[in-house]
Amino acid sequence: MAVPSRQQFRRSLGSSPMAREADGIYDAAIRGGINPAFVAGLAAAESSYGTAGYARGTYNPFGLGVHLGWKFRNYSEATSKLAKTLKGNGYPGLFKQRGLAGIISRYTPASDGNNEGQHFRNIVSYGGRTGGDARQVYTTAGAQPASPSVQGGANVRDIGAVGGGIDTTQLLGLLRRQTQNLRSGRGYDRNLGAQMRQLVISGIGQRNIGGGNVPGAATTGGTPGDTGDFNVDSLGIGYGGVDSRQITRGGEGGDWGGSMPRALQFLGWAKQSGYQPNTSGRWLSQKRSRQRTASGGVSDHWSGSGTSYALDLGVPNVAEGDKLLGNIMRYFGQPSYKGGSWLNINRGGYRYQIGWRTPGHYDHIHVGVKKL
């Protein structure tokens, strides 16, 4: 049996901290379309069920975004995040090609000093204690658990039925904040409304694309720096060739080595902040035929670079650019960056480069991403 029963899953967690949330973790896994046996196996292999290393006190038993300092409110939220991560970043395609070994090759790659073979064996062994088969990472997308368990007691069965990719924990949080605004007399917050709409649209889109035809489903306004699971279709821009200023497929894996969704997530964050592309002074530039930057380097925009993608967000004036930069940097987890120099950060095997208020960058914010 590939997927364990709820009772088997509970027993496998023993007396670990995760055992207190066994039902919520199980539900989050099923709702997100991943096998609870794999969840248990990964948690055991990464952190001894949340008892070792970084997992202690962070509710992060899976090693998600450790280099970014990711923390969660509970293990159920972490499991939902794991499910969303595995539906993007090219993971479904890797699983089709190589099974669990393909997942591990990107999640804990040997290039980062990991022993992929040992990690595989640990996940399968610990996952097998549930009575399930951890090698079968995915279940039926959007399958509904028998008894949804959500923080605060809300029942989101109907929300989950709309699309298996919707982050219901985040959506409920936004709904509560909007309700508080209305009750306090502050009125309707359009930014919160936009975030809720984007979550729903992205979740539906994730189900409709089959969990991987486009690399991933959007996570908008989520954990800072999480940019690899973004559904580029949700932007509503359309696709075109090089120099078209539209989304351009190509390069490694058809998504420029995973750099395309990571770069375009910044446009998703910009749109949540009220940015309307292709209106007065708000132009876009993406892949283009010109190879060199103004300073003579190889541009991430260049179509000849198969593992990079870049986005220029045009702004009508510096004041609007400052505001836009502040908004997207909060999402990215770098609120202290105000421009005036280049910001270069390596995260999760990718180099992110942000430029604003530098020579030639007073009418647009540059976002470049390159696979390392």
Side-chain angles (χ1 to χ4, degrees), residues 26-62:
Y26 187 94
D27 290 347
I30 296 296
R31 187 164 51 241
I34 58 174
N35 189 353
F38 169 77
V39 170
L42 182 64
E46 285 284 337
S47 67
S48 295
Y49 301 109
T51 64
Y54 182 80
R56 289 178 295 192
T58 64
Y59 294 100
N60 187 354
F62 310 116

Side-chain angles (χ1 to χ4, degrees), residues 38 86 91-92 94-95 99-108 137-138:
F38 169 77
L86 292 176
Y91 283 115
L94 289 169
F95 182 76
L100 174 59
I103 298 287
I104 291 172
S105 72
R106 180 161 293 183
Y107 196 92
T108 50
V137 176
Y138 298 96

